[in-house]
Amino acid sequence: MTPWVQRLIVVNVGMFLLSSVLPAVLPALLLVPALIPQRPWTVVTYMFLHAGPWHLGFNMLALYFFGPRVEARLGGRQFLSLYGLSGLVGALASLAFTPHAAIVGASGAIFGVMLGYARYWPRALIYIWGVVPIQARWFVIGMTALSLFGGFGGVQPGVAHFAHLGGFLGGFAYLNWLERRSPAGRFRAQVAAPLHPLDSSPAAQWAKIRLEDLHPVNREEVERLLKKSEIATLTPDEQAVLNRFSPT
């Protein structure tokens, strides 16, 4: 188990035990979206409260299965940001659609983590009830559909469907932001940028790329090919290398 997944499970279990011993904790820390201006701390604290052992168990089991691989992929700080922002957007989505509901649970945050899992490993198999296999991407799409149907269809009253949907939305926005600001994302943006017609050759396009963003091995190869292209001595095979990596 990775560090932040372990810490989050410990905190959630600890808060459940505390709220069981001290009943006043639950009403003080649960989220009522319409009361956020008077109780701003609840947009965070509601994520660490649960309505019962089954609610807690389901959420912690999902965090245990999906969280470690996502944390290992993103790193601890970005994983915690994904978790927290997904839960926060879940609270804001509840404000928009169910402002007077009393909401507890880590589901919004964990739905963001599940989305991250499906984004990076879409074809990984998940076994529902330990028996039925389904790819991660279809699992997340199915959970989204169930939350949409439950939220707008009015089924399963007492379930914070819009917090779930907000968790998906927050996770999607944060992961896209991470992708855009990563070296690979900046590189793809540069390659996809529109070029002047006079600069449409592969060599001209690669000349605009920031070589420091490339892996050292790729950088050396591109520098060699660009240098040769300046004197128009590229072989057909070398020209094919540039063509292969040029945007279309």
Side-chain angles (χ1 to χ4, degrees):
M1 194 184 307
T2 49
W4 276 111
V5 169
Q6 183 175 11
R7 291 167 190 154
L8 288 168
I9 290 176
V10 168
V11 171
N12 275 279
V13 172
M15 287 299 297
F16 178 75
L17 295 176
L18 179 63
S19 63
S20 300
V21 174
L22 300 174
V25 169
L26 194 66
L29 300 182
L30 62 77
L31 172 69
V32 178
L35 299 180
I36 288 176
Q38 292 79 37
R39 296 156 47 93
W41 62 88
T42 59
V43 299
V44 174
T45 57
Y46 91 99
M47 290 185 264
F48 299 97
L49 303 172
H50 289 84
W54 285 105
H55 188 203
L56 173 71
F58 176 82
N59 279 341
M60 294 305 99
L61 187 64
L63 181 58
Y64 175 79
F65 278 115
F66 294 106
R69 198 171 182 184
V70 177
E71 182 178 350
R73 171 68 170 75
L74 295 178
R77 181 175 61 85
Q78 292 178 340
F79 172 79
L80 189 60
S81 297
L82 170 65
Y83 186 94
L85 287 172
S86 297
L88 177 60
V89 177
L92 297 178
S94 300
L95 174 62
F97 294 100
T98 54
H100 301 291
I103 299 171
V104 296
S107 299
I110 291 170
F111 272 50
V113 173
M114 291 195 311
L115 178 67
Y117 188 96
R119 181 188 182 101
Y120 295 121
W121 302 281
R123 291 179 173 80
L125 288 180
I126 298 166
Y127 289 87
I128 301 176
W129 301 302
V131 178
V132 182
I134 183 173
Q135 291 184 359
R137 55 180 175 172
W138 300 121
F139 177 78
V140 168
I141 290 172
M143 293 296 288
T144 304
L146 286 174
S147 293
L148 283 169
F149 179 69
F152 290 105
V155 300
Q156 286 185 294
V159 178
H161 296 289
F162 292 106
H164 300 170
L165 292 170
F168 280 138
L169 179 61
F172 179 79
Y174 180 68
L175 292 171
N176 278 353
W177 179 78
L178 283 182
E179 179 69 19
R180 287 196 302 270
R181 69 187 293 269
S182 69
R186 292 197 299 268
F187 174 74
R188 282 193 290 270
Q190 289 176 329
V191 171
L195 297 171
H196 190 277
L198 296 178
D199 295 331
S200 60
S201 69
Q205 295 179 40
W206 275 92
K208 295 179 178 292
I209 300 301
R210 288 166 51 88
L211 295 179
E212 57 267 29
D213 290 341
L214 298 176
H215 187 280
V217 174
N218 295 334
R219 186 189 313 142
E220 292 177 4
E221 179 66 11
V222 172
E223 287 176 340
R224 184 182 70 82
L225 293 176
L226 288 175
K227 185 175 180 180
K228 292 191 69 174
S229 71
E230 292 176 359
I231 55 176
T233 59
L234 285 180
T235 67
D237 289 341
E238 291 169 336
Q239 184 66 38
V241 172
L242 288 177
N243 286 330
R244 183 180 50 173
F245 291 106
S246 298
T248 57

